[in-house]
Amino acid sequence: MVRWLSAFCVLCLFGGSIQAAGLLIPTEKKLPPLAMVDHLVNVQIDDQVAVTKIEQTFRNHTDRQLEAEYIFPIPKGASVRKFVMWVDGKAFPGETVEADKARTIYTEIVRRTLDPGLLEYMGGDLIKLRVFPVLPKQDQKILVSYTSVASSDAGLIEYVYPMKTNNKAASTLERFSVTLNLKSQHSLQNIYSPTHAVTVNRPNDREAIVGFEKQQALLDKDFQLFYTAGTKDVGLTAVAHRPNPTGNGYFMLLVSPRAELSKSQQAPRDMIFVLDTSGSMKGKRMTQARSAMQYCLKNLTEKDRFGLINFATTVNYYSPNLQDASAANVDEAHKWVSQLDATGGTAIDEALKAALAMRSSDAHRTSTIVFFTDGRATIGETNEKKILESALKHNSATTRIFTFGVGDDVNATMLDQLADQSRAISTYVREAEDIEVKLSSLYGKISNPVLANLKLTVGPDVKISEVYPPQLPDLFHGSQLVVFGRYTGKGHAAIKVAGSIGAEIKEFVYEFNFAEQTRDEKSFVEDLWARRKVGYLLDQIRVNGEKKELVDEVVTLAKRYGITTPYTSFLVVPDGPLPVARASEKKKAGAPDVAFHLNIPGPGGFGAAPPPSALKPQPTSSTAPAGKTKTVAEFAKESQAQNGDVNQYRGYFVEEGLKNLNMDRDQGKDDVFLKALQDQRQRQLYNYQAGKMLEKGDYKFTQGGKLGVELSCDNNVLRSQDRLTASAQRWIGTRNCIEVGGVWIDEAYKADMKILSVKAMSKAYFRLIELQPRTKDIFQISNHLIWVTPSQTALAIDANSGVEDLGDEEIAALFQEANKK
């Protein structure tokens, strides 16, 4: 463990991994930017005026005193009114460098650090400050404060804190946090981040505290926050993305109620709790389940009514009728729950019928069932399809059934459908998880219904389609509904959201301009729409079986947007930082060292020997002896001899990378990297197994049991995804690039193509950017990539080899269409 950690620290300190939100760069040319220890951001936004305060701590890892220069990129679109830095308690004015001169500075930094992520900021202004002295083996703290104006587009306010680098961005050595205090003259509505899982605290309608904190956080993307301000009880925010005016547009709707809705606007509830007390619940499960039920009872309000049912071989009631949630009734119910014990079979069908029969006919009350089970039906009706049909027949549109699957011996598909057909959600509690924690999280979200039976209409000049979720769930106080869909047409249109609160129907109307074409700032809308669609398609396949058109659509979308599925398990990417993979000292001769996902080649990296010939035939002309470093071009020839080969190769590199990491690690119980590794290995295995089962038409294992539960959890994540995640795929222009062993390879590349290799950070590299600005977006991906130019010549960017000078005519020829040459 100590040996590996030392290697990783060296990688962080000397590997050129940097954070673009502030760099402390020694003037001594041989030294890289100093490693970042902490990165703390505090933002005050009052009616769009944003005061951003940053505290960064850098570590001088050398044994000598250094002189350094602090560089900070000014956020795009920001109007900086004031910029002050504090070093050792003294205030210094930063020097503003305008874009033309800043470009030269960025170019030099990119050359020096070999980090193309900073190309993101070329073309923008920056602030710089001389820092001296930076003491040896000490930490240097820098405080930065600047005032800017958060941009507003048709009422949508956006705040961006710049951090984006390429995929080799290291995590902070310790803490990263962002805290935003929002204030407005009007009610703040629909606070949303597509980049970070923020928490939102609402003291009142006009204030909000937004937070994000993580230890050893990966600073691989800008922090982005959207919100609106309005006066309606229910606020709606619309965001559109349309890259091509002749194609479909994509939209996102955020819907949330005001923070200060009065109790008179909240509907009284009927809550029915149904608990499986069959023999398999005995022990820890039963103890946790009783605690969960006690939690639900404790959080009832005086307006509520409740029912309690437990079932095993038979169905039993606390009371056959709904009870008022008076203190006395709740106290008696607590006593009843504390005496529940586990024994007998599992009568799921009868329990559902009993719960649905308890509902009130009072249209002014909302009705909710929370249903716990840890098994499959063994008593009475055991056919899951008939159980679903019966529940649908006895249910009405006003009753939501929130299902909880406890453990792995459940029919996950049935529980998913029970929840989905009633506009609720399913939740699964694994063996090591606490039922009460999972239930309390859900219960807090569904405590106070504001609108039910929502309907969305737009028109008449704009048509919407493929809306996810297809059936809009209820809107609850303190929650936010996120909807994605596609649209055709353009221009201003009225968006109507209608729903019921008890017997009363309410309608809210909002105006929005559906753009004919947009820039790429909100491309996340399209990406998240695709992820949700894939989740729903996979559910259809699991329930109804494989159909070629469904599978083809899943594969097409998954490859286009880098989504891991049972059909594209090769795209699996860790949900967090993983170190460079290093092979064990005992590995077989010729086995590859693998640079897994961070795009930094490990020892040998992509220069190691190719995968075994059993995977696919190896072209002898480009095969290098074990231990000899291959060029990017040689590696690409092996990886993509024919279209589609890159997928197979990436699957191999993922598998080998995970194996090698596991071989090289001590089994530390508190090792976050090992845990991330184990999670990813398990996820890859589940997806591989599921793909084989679906291919054979054996749906028993994909609908229930451990594999079925895992697939349900993964699909639920996709179906409700509202934040960007790491991907092994990049869409550049009109084509896919996939990361394989640390190299990004254009899927259009074929081994018989002519290749021009250019050395990264060379004169030729920067001349390409200057004459063909679109290459900046391509080069940002990595220093190891293959991209097919318009002339059908493959351009190889290689950190270690390639031409260093190109004439302007040679560059122009690369970008001349092949059929026009």
Side-chain angles (χ1 to χ4, degrees):
M1 171 64 73
V2 173
R3 175 177 57 80
W4 181 87
L5 282 177
S6 297
F8 185 62
C9 289
V10 170
L11 173 67
C12 289
L13 294 176
F14 296 104
S17 295
I18 57 178
Q19 277 51 259
L23 313 175
L24 190 58
I25 305 173
T27 54
E28 189 176 332
K29 297 296 184 182
K30 294 181 180 180
L31 293 177
L34 300 187
M36 187 183 301
V37 181
D38 290 324
H39 189 152
L40 314 179
V41 184
N42 188 286
V43 188
Q44 302 278 341
I45 305 181
D46 195 341
D47 286 329
Q48 292 183 242
V49 177
V51 178
T52 302
K53 296 180 180 179
I54 305 139
E55 179 182 312
Q56 289 179 285
T57 304
F58 299 91
R59 182 158 294 164
N60 179 2
H61 53 273
T62 73
D63 57 2
R64 57 191 182 279
Q65 180 173 287
L66 299 177
E67 179 181 352
E69 195 168 55
Y70 182 75
I71 302 293
F72 190 94
I74 295 176
K76 290 181 180 178
S79 174
V80 177
R81 299 179 179 177
K82 181 181 179 183
F83 204 112
V84 181
M85 305 185 197
W86 286 263
V87 180
D88 295 332
K90 296 180 181 179
F92 296 89
E95 176 191 350
T96 302
V97 182
E98 295 183 353
D100 288 344
K101 293 182 180 179
R103 180 187 180 92
T104 302
I105 294 174
Y106 281 127
T107 298
E108 289 305 313
I109 297 174
V110 172
R111 280 196 175 106
R112 181 171 168 183
T113 62
L114 302 181
D115 187 347
L118 276 172
L119 296 174
E120 165 80 9
Y121 300 105
M122 289 179 67
D125 298 346
L126 63 81
I127 301 292
K128 69 175 184 177
L129 175 74
R130 176 179 174 269
V131 181
F132 178 81
V134 181
L135 299 178
K137 301 293 185 181
Q138 297 291 320
D139 288 347
Q140 175 68 60
K141 184 181 291 185
I142 294 182
L143 303 178
V144 178
S145 176
Y146 66 90
T147 303
S148 61
V149 178
S151 64
S152 177
D153 181 8
L156 178 66
I157 300 170
E158 177 183 12
Y159 174 83
V160 177
Y161 179 70
M163 292 186 294
K164 186 175 180 179
T165 66
N166 75 335
N167 272 8
K168 73 177 184 180
S171 58
T172 55
L173 297 182
E174 295 179 13
R175 182 182 170 206
F176 169 65
S177 70
V178 181
T179 302
L180 301 99
N181 293 272
L182 310 181
K183 291 184 180 181
S184 174
Q185 299 180 45
H186 303 290
S187 175
L188 292 168
Q189 297 173 329
N190 294 314
I191 300 167
Y192 166 75
S193 172
T195 56
H196 293 73
V198 298
T199 60
V200 180
N201 181 27
R202 299 297 306 272
N204 55 63
D205 272 348
R206 294 174 174 80
E207 294 183 77
I209 301 170
V210 182
F212 177 83
E213 182 168 343
K214 195 170 185 179
Q215 295 293 320
Q216 297 181 333
L218 192 66
L219 307 185
D220 60 341
K221 52 183 174 285
D222 294 347
F223 178 91
Q224 197 172 18
L225 187 79
F226 294 98
Y227 66 94
T228 55
T231 58
K232 295 182 178 181
D233 285 346
V234 174
L236 181 142
T237 300
V239 180
H241 172 65
R242 193 174 196 170
N244 187 346
T246 62
N248 286 293
Y250 302 85
F251 68 86
M252 176 185 72
L253 301 180
L254 307 172
V255 186
S256 63
R258 286 197 301 112
E260 295 179 352
L261 282 180
S262 67
K263 291 184 178 181
S264 64
Q265 294 170 286
Q266 299 170 13
R269 304 172 301 170
D270 288 342
M271 303 289 292
I272 304 168
F273 306 104
V274 186
L275 178 61
D276 182 347
T277 55
S278 59
S280 55
M281 285 287 289
K282 189 176 290 293
K284 179 182 177 182
R285 289 183 183 179
M286 196 66 233
T287 301
Q288 287 190 350
R290 282 195 294 262
S291 296
M293 298 286 271
Q294 304 279 19
Y295 175 89
C296 293
L297 290 168
K298 184 173 66 176
N299 283 276
L300 292 170
T301 70
E302 59 184 16
K303 286 186 176 182
D304 296 333
R305 298 187 303 197
F306 69 93
L308 293 174
I309 294 175
N310 77 294
F311 70 96
T313 303
T314 60
V315 175
N316 306 292
Y317 301 85
Y318 164 69
S319 169
N321 301 311
L322 293 169
Q323 300 292 301
D324 292 330
S326 65
N329 285 343
V330 170
D331 186 55
E332 288 299 314
H334 277 296
K335 295 176 183 177
W336 186 81
V337 169
S338 66
Q339 296 172 4
L340 291 176
D341 200 6
T343 183
T346 311
I348 289 178
D349 186 51
E350 291 303 313
L352 283 169
K353 288 177 181 176
L356 289 166
M358 289 187 73
R359 296 169 303 155
S360 167
S361 59
D362 186 347
H364 292 87
R365 305 183 70 86
T366 66
S367 182
T368 301
I369 295 173
V370 181
F371 190 90
F372 291 87
T373 183
D374 78 331
R376 304 170 189 262
T378 60
I379 302 294
E381 182 59 71
T382 59
N383 184 296
E384 283 89 358
K385 184 177 180 181
K386 291 183 178 179
I387 293 173
L388 284 167
E389 290 173 348
S390 174
L392 185 60
K393 177 181 175 182
H394 288 85
N395 196 5
S396 69
T398 60
T399 302
R400 311 297 185 238
I401 304 176
F402 291 90
T403 59
F404 272 78
V406 183
D408 297 322
D409 190 25
V410 295
N411 187 308
T413 301
M414 185 190 76
L415 295 183
D416 290 345
Q417 288 183 279
L418 269 175
D420 193 51
Q421 70 185 13
S422 69
R423 301 194 187 198
I425 60 175
S426 55
T427 304
Y428 295 92
V429 186
R430 317 295 176 85
E431 293 296 337
E433 294 179 318
D434 192 314
I435 297 174
E436 184 179 356
V437 171
K438 280 287 185 83
L439 177 62
S440 62
S441 175
L442 173 71
Y443 197 85
K445 297 173 185 175
I446 65 172
S447 293
N448 297 306
V450 174
L451 281 179
N453 306 313
L454 269 66
K455 292 183 179 179
L456 173 68
T457 57
V458 178
D461 297 329
V462 173
K463 304 297 182 185
I464 62 174
S465 61
E466 296 191 84
V467 176
Y468 300 104
Q471 287 195 100
L472 299 185
D474 297 341
L475 183 64
F476 295 91
H477 184 255
S479 71
Q480 182 167 263
L481 175 60
V482 185
V483 181
F484 291 91
R486 299 209 297 185
Y487 73 89
T488 56
K490 62 180 180 179
H492 286 274
I495 303 173
K496 294 182 181 179
V497 176
S500 59
I501 186 67
E504 182 183 359
I505 303 297
K506 292 189 175 183
E507 183 178 85
F508 299 88
V509 182
Y510 312 86
E511 294 291 329
F512 182 69
N513 180 42
F514 287 86
E516 181 179 13
Q517 186 173 16
T518 64
R519 294 180 294 180
D520 291 334
E521 285 88 346
K522 300 178 180 68
S523 60
F524 66 85
V525 175
E526 180 181 350
D527 188 285
L528 294 174
W529 169 86
R531 291 173 182 273
R532 290 200 175 191
K533 181 173 182 177
V534 166
Y536 278 92
L537 288 172
L538 289 173
D539 276 349
Q540 291 298 311
I541 291 171
R542 289 176 64 213
V543 172
N544 302 316
E546 278 194 342
K547 292 183 175 60
K548 184 178 184 304
E549 60 271 22
L550 293 182
V551 175
D552 288 348
E553 191 165 11
V554 166
V555 172
T556 298
L557 287 169
K559 289 173 62 178
R560 165 70 172 82
Y561 296 96
I563 305 168
T564 304
T565 73
Y567 302 102
T568 53
S569 60
F570 64 88
L571 287 171
V572 66
V573 172
D575 187 23
L578 280 181
V580 173
R582 299 177 185 276
S584 166
E585 295 175 359
K586 298 179 181 180
K587 77 178 181 70
K588 295 180 181 179
D593 293 319
V594 179
F596 184 66
H597 178 60
L598 290 185
N599 296 331
I600 312 173
F606 52 79
S613 58
L615 182 66
K616 75 181 192 65
Q618 299 300 315
T620 56
S621 61
S622 63
T623 301
K628 179 181 177 181
T629 300
K630 286 195 186 72
T631 65
V632 166
E634 288 171 332
F635 180 80
K637 284 180 182 293
E638 294 174 353
S639 304
Q640 187 74 329
Q642 297 178 16
N643 268 348
D645 286 353
V646 69
N647 301 341
Q648 196 175 25
Y649 249 65
R650 187 176 200 280
Y652 172 82
F653 270 87
V654 167
E655 183 178 352
E656 288 300 304
L658 292 173
K659 282 181 183 176
N660 290 338
L661 275 167
N662 199 37
M663 290 162 55
D664 198 41
R665 303 297 313 283
D666 295 328
Q667 301 285 318
K669 66 178 182 179
D670 298 323
D671 189 337
V672 294
F673 290 116
L674 180 57
K675 184 178 186 304
L677 163 66
Q678 291 170 336
D679 289 346
Q680 288 310 112
R681 289 193 70 179
Q682 198 63 56
R683 188 179 177 208
Q684 185 197 29
L685 177 62
Y686 287 140
N687 275 288
Y688 176 79
Q689 291 175 337
K692 292 298 183 185
M693 295 294 181
L694 292 171
E695 184 181 336
K696 293 191 298 184
D698 192 348
Y699 301 111
K700 176 183 177 182
F701 296 100
T702 60
Q703 293 183 351
K706 189 171 183 62
L707 181 58
V709 170
E710 291 292 339
L711 289 177
S712 284
C713 291
D714 276 358
N715 283 1
N716 283 341
V717 168
L718 284 174
R719 296 194 320 162
S720 60
Q721 192 160 346
D722 58 10
R723 287 182 181 86
L724 297 172
T725 53
S727 173
Q729 173 274 339
R730 298 285 181 88
W731 189 257
I732 301 177
T734 59
R735 293 196 305 274
N736 233 1
C737 284
I738 292 181
E739 179 269 331
V740 185
V743 181
W744 288 86
I745 300 176
D746 190 332
E747 281 192 316
Y749 168 75
K750 294 183 180 179
D752 60 358
M753 283 182 171
K754 178 183 176 182
I755 295 181
L756 173 64
S757 290
V758 173
K759 189 171 183 179
M761 314 306 159
S762 65
K763 180 180 177 182
Y765 176 93
F766 285 105
R767 188 58 176 165
L768 274 162
I769 293 175
E770 185 177 350
L771 296 180
Q772 297 289 336
R774 68 175 124 167
T775 58
K776 183 181 77 169
D777 295 331
I778 299 165
F779 294 174
Q780 277 178 229
I781 296 179
S782 174
N783 286 332
H784 309 102
L785 64 88
I786 288 278
W787 180 71
V788 178
T789 66
S791 67
Q792 296 303 294
T793 296
L795 178 63
I797 300 300
D798 194 324
N800 302 309
S801 65
V803 300
E804 300 188 35
D805 200 356
L806 279 176
D808 292 356
E809 291 183 1
E810 293 176 281
I811 293 174
L814 287 174
F815 291 84
Q816 185 178 354
E817 296 290 343
N819 58 359
K820 295 180 181 179
K821 293 179 69 176

